[in-house]
Amino acid sequence: MLYAALALLAVLLVAGVLKRLGAKTVYSTALLLSVLLSLVANLGLGQNYFYNLIPGIHDGGLGISNQVAYLIIGEDLWTQARFRIAFERSVWITLLLIIAYAVAKIAESKTERSKAPSRLT
């Protein structure tokens, strides 16, 4: 949960700075940053999940294998099922963010084309 809050804060800060600077692609850039942060979460959660599938690595128990997974999962109720669910949710969130990025990029390019002066006049 802490990772999600930090990632959201980073995305909002970048979007705010870009908006203040007058950038034309604020939304797609902010969404691209969120996709990249989500991919970092995917890697951390995936590594943690698959690491815990190997018997005997954590002295017969379960453990958090990296800081990203720890920031997302926390210290409560570690189970292989919880690790798998966190990883799967992260993958779905990333896919949705990629789709949102594509939509924002298309919308921004259409807006940019409509604001461009016409060559016919």
Side-chain angles (χ1 to χ4, degrees):
M1 192 65 171
L2 180 60
Y3 184 82
L6 292 173
L8 180 61
L9 179 63
V11 169
L12 291 175
L13 284 173
V14 167
V17 168
L18 290 173
K19 188 102 167 159
R20 188 169 273 240
L21 294 174
K24 296 178 182 177
T25 59
V26 174
Y27 301 110
S28 63
T29 304
L31 281 167
L32 180 60
L33 176 61
S34 67
V35 167
L36 295 175
L37 291 171
S38 188
L39 286 172
V40 169
N42 283 344
L43 292 173
L45 290 170
Q47 189 264 342
N48 184 66
Y49 172 59
F50 291 111
Y51 192 75
N52 279 288
L53 290 177
I54 302 169
I57 286 187
H58 294 290
D59 298 327
L62 298 175
I64 298 289
S65 59
N66 61 69
Q67 288 297 321
V68 173
Y70 182 77
L71 288 173
I72 296 170
I73 296 172
E75 295 187 17
D76 300 334
L77 305 170
W78 291 350
T79 64
Q80 284 185 350
R82 183 156 185 219
F83 293 158
R84 181 183 49 81
I85 289 168
F87 174 61
E88 288 175 355
R89 285 182 181 166
S90 177
V91 169
W92 282 109
I93 289 169
T94 302
L95 291 173
L96 291 174
L97 287 171
I98 289 170
I99 292 168
Y101 169 73
V103 169
K105 198 68 174 166
I106 291 167
E108 287 173 345
S109 69
K110 284 185 179 184
T111 303
E112 187 64 32
R113 274 190 263 144
S114 68
K115 289 182 180 179
S118 175
R119 294 183 182 189
L120 298 175
T121 58

